[in-house]
Amino acid sequence: MHIHVEDDRTGMTVSTLKRALADNLYYIQGKDETFANLYDYYMALAYTVRDRLVHRRIKTAQAYFQKDTKVVYYLSAEFLIGRLLLNNLLNLGLYDQMQQVLKEVGLNLDDLLEREEEPGLGNGGLGRLAACFLDSMATLEIPAVGYGIRYEFGIFDQYIADGWQVEHPDNWLRSGNPWEIPRPDYMVEVKFGGYTEAAADAQGRVRTRWVPRITIFGTPYDTPVSGYGKNTVNTLRLWSARAGEDFDLHVFNAGDYTQAVAAKTFSENISKVLYPNDNTPQGKELRLQQQYFFVACSLQDIIRLYLRNRSTFDDFPEKVAIQLNDTHPAIGVAELMRLFIDEYGLDWDKAWDITRRTFAYTNHTLLSEALERWSVNLFGKLLPRHLEIIYEINFHFLNEVRAKYPNQPEKLARMSLIEEGGEKQVRMAHLACVGSHTVNGVAALHTELIKQELMRDFYELYPEKFQNKTNGITPRRWLMLSNPELCRLISEKIVDRSEAETTAHPWITNLDELRRLEAFVDDPQFRAQWRSIKQSNKNHLADYILRSNGLEIDPNSLFDVQIKRIHEYKRQILCAMYIITLYNRIKANPSLEIVPRTFIFGGKAAPGYFMAKMAIKLINSIGEVVNNDPDVAGRLKVVFLANYSVSLGQFAYPAADLSEQISTAGKEASGTGNMKFALNGALTIGTLDGANVEIREEVGADNFFLFGLTAQEVMDLKAKGYKPLDYYNKNAELKQVIDQMSSGFFSPKEPSLFMSIVESLLNHDEYMLLADYQSYIECQERVSEAFRDTEQWTKMSILNVARMGKFSSDRTITEYCRDIWNVEPVPIDLEAYSQDKAGLRIQRATEMA
């Protein structure tokens, strides 16, 4: 009789998983059921899942090495990955089995999921996009590694005290992290400061040698990244900084205890916190140190992996694709040149050719102030060799420009990598553009504005470099994880039973299949089911708001939601002005019938961003008045959700009725929150900005609430001479709103509190709130009218979901692979466990990534 045996670390049956859970509790947590608490059970469960990921990761690394595949290396200062346990259970197909295991031992999975700390390794869309891309690359079986920083403290925990944002450290590692695997054997050196000198190499050639002032070390920590329904497990490799010498015993014995650990303090500060406040010179210096640190670590690691079975760099661009996620890692262009020339002895022309064929650059902003520039003095102080290399790159580049555009000194000045003026600065976006073979925007409008406005000179010189790759989101986290009931309803309607044998939701990896929902839009029973799920999600969010804010809201009201990073161009204040307008109308006519609304805000302001913090205070001050006025009871509520995160987003997106995407046209590169809301059935009110344009094209103009100036109209109005005071004086409702803000109506204890906002609006209004106010108010009236027709609103909601296939990050990554990286999928075969192959068989030492 054949007896099937499963390994406790790789088996997938309920009985095997139960044994593995007990073993990990006992041998890793060091507890049994007598002393274990819920956190111990969470850790044991996480290690049980991680074992299965590690098994697949090793097989994936073996396949990449044996097949000598080209690998994508994605460099990003942020990876907002969210909680991982549920995501990995679903990706591995273990959810149902683990539910059964926990039920049999008397535990509840939801209780354990809540014990997981969320890594705050990002500030918003940039980091979340990077995480979505990693998910899609693993799901599409693309060989890839993500590189970033293992911040000891992530994006701060946000508390609201008296309406103000208060920042507390996000100590996400306080209790350990079961998902990461330290790799001290891959530690690398990183240099800072010092000077350069000429020195002869072994062949007698004169080379530049960098003599650093300080050397630190980067230690990698690997987090496995699983693909949905696939055996592929890629790696997110995050670098942690440590000193070359943690402790100077001689200095300690001399009595200087602080100086004895000074090197340790300096080094560890580099990976201490995400985005230090750069309003001070010290903050700017630390930010540049962070960027160079993780790039230098990553490039050394990439070269190590490449050289495992090669002795030259001739094939480097054919085996290595490096993507720069915005300008934070742009120093990589100079660093790779330094490594090739100074460390490996390549000549300049060959090194430059390989570098340019290796890098690609994604631009994520149209705000010129967000395009990083570093003082030449700071650059020379921290990275003297890199400044020399950048000047050399600039010398050759400007010669190229001069040859094509003779007698145009103004063009040379605009395109130079060095900005002249009072304080010379290194333009990192220019370095990334010159040093990459491809530059892409992240939405069709964004890419056109890059080509025609932001980087027009570079587009004219290198038109073949520029592409568009509209952003996308992973439907695994943002629909399957966030909205499981809606997923089940969709599958009931569009999945053949034969398809469902492999995965519960086969369409989740082919989001265009959602189009099949259009066949059911006229089915009253289906619409009723759709509404029931939306209502259930709203009830859940209402319960959360009651627990977290102590505020009771009406779950039948229109949930009008704006959750995103707080920034002036995202115009949270415009929405606040609409709330004041509604409030004033009710006060003027207490019997006024309006559609009841709950306005829900969420998002963090950068610690040094005064106006963003004032926006949060204004919203909360308006809420204090509106929520406590009996005249508006049951009609308006204002909520600010503190400490917005991926997990909180998974609550909020499925509950929203209306998605506020109201940035000034021409300012938002893409946005991905707009996609998450629409994929969960919210309708959008928005401008023709970023990916809003393409969302409206896909879902249909009738299913999108459009208002405001276009990007061209914004530019034309500014060129003509925009006068916000004219709008203020000509619009009585707008004037009343502004006057209430300036008079202290919403801040009676400090009447002038919001004058900074008022003065900004009346004197400058950089982001055209007053110009778009009336259009926005009128559009919101159309929203209210539409919401009154429940059946029609439901049809619009269904069509929004059905037509969101384009906005899967799977589509985006497929386009990157085809058009930029030239990378093919590598399927991973997973052998069944057998005892005769379970032993240790040492044949030869092979480094695996």
Side-chain angles (χ1 to χ4, degrees):
M1 182 176 72
H2 176 71
I3 299 176
H4 178 68
V5 178
E6 276 196 330
D7 175 30
D8 283 355
R9 292 201 181 272
T10 62
M12 305 285 278
T13 64
V14 169
S15 58
T16 304
L17 291 168
K18 191 188 294 186
R19 287 196 308 272
L21 181 67
D23 280 357
N24 284 328
L25 180 68
Y26 198 89
Y27 291 107
I28 295 183
Q29 289 304 100
K31 292 186 179 180
D32 63 9
E33 61 272 18
T34 307
F35 300 104
N37 57 33
L38 284 178
Y39 185 76
D40 293 315
Y41 283 111
Y42 156 72
M43 292 290 281
L45 176 56
Y47 282 120
T48 301
V49 176
R50 196 188 81 168
D51 287 342
R52 279 118 191 106
L53 293 173
V54 168
H55 174 51
R56 288 162 175 76
R57 172 59 205 153
I58 290 171
K59 295 299 182 186
T60 300
Q62 288 173 349
Y64 294 169
F65 179 76
Q66 291 163 4
K67 296 179 181 180
D68 194 21
T69 59
K70 185 174 187 178
V71 179
V72 176
Y73 299 101
Y74 197 85
L75 272 59
S76 179
E78 300 183 29
F79 285 96
L80 201 55
I81 56 178
R83 289 172 170 168
L84 295 175
L85 177 54
L86 182 56
N87 189 69
N88 285 325
L89 286 172
L90 290 168
N91 282 356
L92 291 173
L94 281 175
Y95 181 80
D96 291 336
Q97 299 96 302
M98 203 58 80
Q99 282 270 40
Q100 182 65 30
V101 167
L102 295 175
K103 182 179 178 182
E104 290 181 8
V105 300
L107 293 169
N108 181 280
L109 177 58
D110 289 339
D111 291 338
L112 301 190
L113 293 173
E114 284 303 309
R115 296 302 181 277
E116 182 172 4
E117 287 281 351
E118 182 165 338
L121 303 179
N123 185 36
L126 184 80
R128 186 53 236 171
L129 180 79
C132 285
F133 280 6
L134 291 185
D135 176 276
S136 284
M137 284 189 272
T139 298
L140 295 170
E141 303 178 305
I142 302 301
V145 179
Y147 281 114
I149 300 177
R150 182 182 179 264
Y151 301 102
E152 184 179 340
F153 296 93
I155 185 68
F156 57 86
D157 285 338
Q158 179 195 57
Y159 294 83
I160 302 298
D162 191 28
W164 294 99
Q165 170 178 291
V166 179
E167 301 102 25
H168 287 240
D170 169 31
N171 190 5
W172 69 284
L173 289 169
R174 65 169 66 87
S175 301
N177 176 11
W179 303 107
E180 67 182 10
I181 303 170
R183 303 289 194 191
D185 46 328
Y186 298 148
M187 185 185 297
V188 296
E189 283 189 1
V190 180
K191 305 171 186 176
F192 287 103
Y195 58 92
T196 63
E197 62 183 17
D201 64 14
Q203 287 75 41
R205 297 172 299 181
V206 177
R207 295 285 181 184
T208 300
R209 187 165 70 97
W210 179 11
V211 182
R213 184 179 68 84
I214 192 168
T215 298
I216 68 171
F217 290 93
T219 301
Y221 289 75
D222 288 356
T223 298
V225 180
S226 57
Y228 178 72
K230 302 291 173 61
N231 293 324
T232 298
V233 172
N234 287 327
T235 298
L236 170 59
R237 180 160 285 177
L238 302 176
W239 298 96
S240 180
R242 54 160 291 185
E245 293 293 337
D246 284 350
F247 182 72
D248 190 323
L249 183 61
H250 176 74
V251 173
F252 183 86
N253 287 335
D256 193 343
Y257 306 136
T258 301
Q259 190 61 33
V261 293
K264 175 181 172 66
T265 302
F266 169 84
S267 303
E268 293 182 357
N269 276 346
I270 290 176
S271 57
K272 182 70 73 177
V273 64
L274 170 72
Y275 290 167
N277 189 341
D278 61 358
N279 288 351
T280 65
Q282 295 88 345
K284 285 184 170 65
E285 184 169 336
L286 181 54
R287 182 83 69 99
L288 181 56
Q289 286 170 346
Q290 284 186 337
Q291 293 181 5
Y292 176 66
F293 166 73
F294 97 85
V295 167
C297 291
S298 303
L299 291 180
Q300 289 181 70
D301 199 52
I302 291 167
I303 288 175
R304 175 187 64 80
L305 293 168
Y306 171 82
L307 291 176
R308 286 178 304 180
N309 52 7
R310 288 179 184 79
S311 58
T312 75
F313 289 98
D314 294 349
D315 296 329
F316 197 77
E318 281 68 48
K319 296 300 177 181
V320 172
I322 303 176
Q323 190 70 34
L324 304 174
N325 191 30
D326 216 359
T327 52
H328 308 121
I331 186 62
V333 173
E335 171 65 2
L336 190 59
M337 286 293 289
R338 185 192 72 81
L339 289 168
F340 282 158
I341 294 168
D342 296 353
E343 304 296 331
Y344 292 98
L346 274 64
D347 64 51
W348 179 275
D349 290 342
K350 183 169 185 177
W352 185 238
D353 175 64
I354 294 172
T355 296
R356 292 185 80 177
R357 290 193 293 126
T358 299
F359 281 109
Y361 161 55
T362 300
N363 173 281
H364 281 280
T365 184
L366 289 164
L367 303 177
S368 59
E369 64 271 21
L371 292 177
E372 287 188 308
R373 297 171 176 84
W374 295 108
S375 155
V376 165
N377 289 336
L378 175 61
F379 223 96
K381 172 187 170 185
L382 283 182
L383 304 170
R385 178 59 178 140
H386 297 76
L387 186 59
E388 292 176 352
I389 289 170
I390 288 170
Y391 271 113
E392 183 75 8
I393 293 171
N394 200 37
F395 172 77
H396 293 288
F397 171 63
L398 291 182
N399 282 342
E400 181 183 356
V401 175
R402 195 178 288 110
K404 185 160 185 179
Y405 304 105
N407 303 316
Q408 294 191 40
E410 69 288 347
K411 185 179 281 284
L412 288 175
R414 289 197 306 268
M415 298 183 74
S416 174
L417 307 191
I418 306 298
E419 183 175 343
E420 305 291 342
E423 181 183 33
K424 288 186 178 183
Q425 294 187 309
V426 181
R427 294 163 162 164
M428 302 308 287
H430 290 202
L431 177 64
C433 182
V434 172
S436 298
H437 60 80
T438 303
V439 177
N440 74 277
V442 291
L445 174 63
H446 173 235
T447 301
E448 285 307 306
L449 290 171
I450 288 174
K451 294 192 291 189
Q452 301 306 322
E453 299 291 333
L454 191 71
M455 306 189 88
R456 182 169 186 162
D457 291 320
F458 290 90
Y459 175 63
E460 290 174 352
L461 181 63
Y462 303 126
E464 72 287 349
K465 275 193 181 190
F466 288 78
Q467 295 187 18
N468 176 59
K469 292 290 170 277
T470 298
N471 282 343
I473 59 174
T474 168
R476 270 76 62 182
R477 181 169 295 271
W478 295 114
L479 190 56
M480 191 171 70
L481 235 81
S482 306
N483 209 339
E485 291 302 316
L486 186 60
C487 261
R488 276 191 276 273
L489 177 61
I490 291 170
S491 289
E492 282 177 19
K493 291 297 180 183
I494 70 172
V495 176
D496 297 330
R497 289 185 179 179
S498 58
E499 289 182 88
E501 291 175 3
T502 51
T503 60
H505 310 299
W507 50 269
I508 208 77
T509 56
N510 182 13
L511 213 57
D512 288 331
E513 288 290 300
L514 290 177
R515 283 275 180 179
R516 293 162 67 178
L517 287 173
E518 293 192 38
F520 304 99
V521 75
D522 292 322
D523 179 348
Q525 183 181 2
F526 178 65
R527 292 200 303 271
Q529 291 174 293
W530 192 273
R531 279 195 302 275
S532 175
I533 291 168
K534 174 64 74 174
Q535 190 61 54
S536 175
N537 292 331
K538 292 174 72 174
N539 292 341
H540 289 319
L541 183 58
D543 290 343
Y544 175 84
I545 289 170
L546 182 61
R547 294 194 308 272
S548 63
N549 291 51
L551 185 64
E552 191 169 340
I553 64 172
D554 177 9
N556 296 309
S557 64
L558 190 160
F559 280 17
D560 186 332
V561 186
Q562 189 175 20
I563 49 175
K564 55 182 67 197
R565 181 167 55 93
I566 309 296
H567 196 290
E568 288 170 277
Y569 86 84
K570 294 178 184 287
R571 302 202 295 190
Q572 284 90 353
I573 289 176
L574 180 59
C575 186
M577 290 164 66
Y578 173 57
I579 299 171
I580 299 173
T581 302
L582 282 181
Y583 174 76
N584 289 338
R585 289 178 179 179
I586 293 171
K587 295 297 286 184
N589 179 10
S591 61
L592 181 69
E593 287 191 14
I594 68 166
V595 171
R597 289 207 194 205
T598 300
F599 292 90
I600 300 170
F601 295 86
K604 297 180 180 180
Y609 192 173
F610 172 76
M611 290 299 285
K613 286 186 162 183
M614 288 303 302
I616 293 174
K617 175 61 175 173
L618 176 63
I619 290 164
N620 283 305
S621 297
I622 293 168
E624 188 68 23
V625 172
V626 170
N627 297 343
N628 293 294
D629 191 327
D631 287 346
V632 300
R635 286 183 281 185
L636 294 181
K637 283 285 174 71
V638 181
V639 181
F640 191 93
L641 297 175
N643 207 34
Y644 175 66
S645 62
V646 173
S647 299
L648 188 49
Q650 290 171 205
F651 248 130
Y653 292 120
D657 293 308
L658 186 68
S659 161
E660 296 268 357
Q661 307 299 327
I662 60 176
S663 53
T664 313
K667 298 297 182 182
E668 185 74 81
S670 168
T672 52
N674 46 11
M675 304 170 191
K676 294 161 196 168
F677 278 115
L679 185 59
N680 282 277
L683 305 187
T684 304
I685 181 170
T687 53
L688 286 176
D689 195 29
N692 287 357
V693 177
E694 291 158 86
I695 290 174
R696 184 170 179 264
E697 289 171 355
E698 292 295 312
V699 305
D702 293 342
N703 303 306
F704 186 105
F705 297 100
L706 177 67
F707 79 95
L709 300 170
T710 65
Q712 187 60 53
E713 288 168 343
V714 166
M715 288 187 280
D716 291 345
L717 182 54
K718 286 197 171 186
K720 188 169 64 176
Y722 172 50
K723 297 176 182 177
L725 268 171
D726 290 348
Y727 293 85
Y728 167 81
N729 288 321
K730 292 175 183 176
N731 189 317
E733 281 195 316
L734 173 60
K735 186 175 188 301
Q736 183 183 8
V737 168
I738 298 291
D739 289 348
Q740 285 169 303
M741 290 163 56
S742 65
S743 68
F745 184 88
F746 297 104
S747 55
K749 294 180 180 177
E750 195 175 345
S752 62
L753 179 62
F754 299 117
M755 281 307 298
S756 57
I757 295 176
V758 171
E759 289 172 357
S760 174
L761 290 175
L762 294 182
N763 297 328
H764 308 289
D765 195 16
E766 177 68 23
Y767 299 106
M768 318 289 274
L769 280 74
L770 273 59
D772 274 349
Y773 169 83
Q774 190 58 38
S775 176
Y776 179 57
I777 299 299
E778 292 168 1
C779 189
Q780 286 283 21
E781 295 304 307
R782 297 197 298 275
V783 170
S784 295
E785 193 61 35
F787 193 73
R788 287 188 173 96
D789 187 343
T790 303
E791 294 294 342
Q792 182 59 29
W793 184 277
T794 306
K795 288 182 180 181
M796 295 165 74
S797 173
I798 294 168
L799 290 174
N800 263 262
V801 175
R803 295 171 179 175
M804 284 299 292
K806 173 180 178 176
F807 302 101
S808 168
S809 51
D810 296 347
R811 185 269 314 155
T812 312
I813 288 300
T814 299
E815 292 180 1
Y816 272 97
C817 290
R818 181 191 67 209
D819 303 333
I820 297 178
W821 300 331
N822 191 28
V823 175
E824 297 290 335
V826 179
I828 305 301
D829 296 321
L830 206 63
E831 296 177 2
Y833 173 76
S834 64
Q835 285 184 302
D836 63 323
K837 294 183 179 179
L840 192 63
R841 302 176 306 282
I842 301 175
Q843 296 174 344
R844 64 186 180 91
T846 300
E847 285 189 291
M848 304 309 296

